[in-house]
Amino acid sequence: DGGITQSPKYLFRKEGQNVTLSCEQNLNHDAMYWYRQDPGQGLRLIYYSQIVNDFQKGDIAEGYSVSREKKESFPLTVTSAQKNPTAFYLCASSKGQGMTEAFFGQGTRLTVV
Amino acid sequence: GQQLNQSPQSMFIQEGEDVSMNCTSSSIFNTWLWYKQDPGEGPVLLIALYKAGELTSNGRLTAQFGITRKDSFLNISASIPSDVGIYFCAGILTGGGNKLTFGTGTQLKVEL
């Protein structure tokens, strides 16, 4: 089945450690996005990529890094510089140019302990 | 970053009632999307709108792309318990590089 997969579903991290969240899609989509969601709030854009080997900062990129070496994959690293990393992280993808409907993965809940 | 104003923030309605929510922006959007999110899950796309004035239905859901291109509306008719969740609007700015901006969400609760 075609879709977008995030892993793991739940992740625990000690303070000061970097952690990488996985996002894979087999929809042949050009564009991929990472959002952060805090309790009772909307989605805020961290990074997005419109094409392989290219990405742009979103509204809250500080403390995060991404790579886009393959069309199917857009991993997000939450670094130790992120002051408040506990949140629900959502990855999405869309065809990019023209068709712009974005489809989401199931999310990763990151908790810093 | 760009913000979308979504209202109401929450709604508590009786089963069978109709529901309306809206989203407004100070900027012009060329696409409006409506999503529903269940707790602990990713948002699921409900309706996509691409032209000003467009009215689109998906079952009991109807959404409209405002004529000014700065707002959108979602209506749910004859609500049922499984309509419970958070509804988000999302827009793509003209010239915004396909970057989606989300509203703050409307939490819907349905009373039996």
Side-chain angles (χ1 to χ4, degrees):
Chain A
D1 288 345
I4 181 165
T5 303
Q6 289 185 242
S7 61
K9 180 72 172 175
Y10 300 95
L11 190 57
F12 294 87
R13 187 195 91 174
K14 292 183 179 179
E15 277 193 51
Q17 288 182 339
N18 292 355
V19 63
T20 298
L21 282 59
S22 169
C23 180
E24 303 277 334
Q25 53 98 0
N26 60 5
L27 300 167
N28 199 33
H29 284 173
D30 286 318
M32 297 186 74
Y33 313 81
W34 274 105
Y35 288 87
R36 170 183 171 136
Q37 187 177 30
D38 293 289
Q41 298 194 26
L43 283 68
R44 292 184 291 167
L45 183 63
I46 304 172
Y47 269 97
Y48 64 108
S49 167
Q50 297 189 64
I51 198 167
V52 175
N53 292 322
D54 185 54
F55 49 83
Q56 288 82 41
K57 293 181 179 180
D59 301 319
I60 55 167
E62 185 176 351
Y64 300 98
S65 66
V66 293
S67 63
R68 187 84 188 277
E69 297 177 0
K70 296 187 300 182
K71 187 175 186 178
E72 305 79 28
S73 178
F74 191 39
L76 173 74
T77 297
V78 184
T79 75
S80 56
Q82 168 52 233
K83 293 182 173 60
N84 186 19
T86 295
F88 190 47
Y89 291 88
L90 288 159
C91 179
S93 70
S94 71
K95 286 186 179 180
Q97 298 298 326
M99 289 293 290
T100 52
E101 298 167 9
F103 298 91
F104 282 83
Q106 292 299 299
T108 293
R109 184 165 300 281
L110 173 64
T111 303
V112 174
V113 296
Chain B
Q2 171 71 25
Q3 294 287 327
L4 292 181
N5 300 311
Q6 191 171 344
S7 66
Q9 189 174 5
S10 64
M11 301 181 72
F12 196 17
I13 62 169
Q14 298 280 339
E15 184 179 8
E17 287 185 358
D18 296 343
V19 173
S20 292
M21 60 191 78
N22 69 78
C23 210
T24 60
S25 170
S26 57
S27 302
I28 291 174
F29 282 78
N30 58 20
T31 299
W32 283 97
L33 306 172
W34 284 92
Y35 289 86
K36 178 178 183 250
Q37 184 180 30
D38 292 325
E41 301 294 329
V44 174
L45 182 65
L46 299 174
I47 292 180
L49 302 159
Y50 295 103
K51 294 194 303 186
E54 180 181 354
L55 185 70
T56 298
S57 293
N58 178 9
R60 292 180 296 107
L61 277 61
T62 301
Q64 185 163 23
F65 193 141
I67 197 72
T68 66
R69 298 172 67 188
K70 293 182 178 181
D71 56 10
S72 180
F73 305 86
L74 176 69
N75 296 313
I76 305 173
S77 62
S79 58
I80 59 178
S82 62
D83 290 335
V84 165
I86 302 177
Y87 292 80
F88 290 101
C89 63
I92 299 176
L93 284 167
T94 301
N98 290 337
K99 186 174 61 172
L100 274 176
T101 299
F102 278 80
T104 49
T106 294
Q107 180 153 26
L108 180 63
K109 298 177 183 179
V110 180
E111 187 176 61
L112 296 174

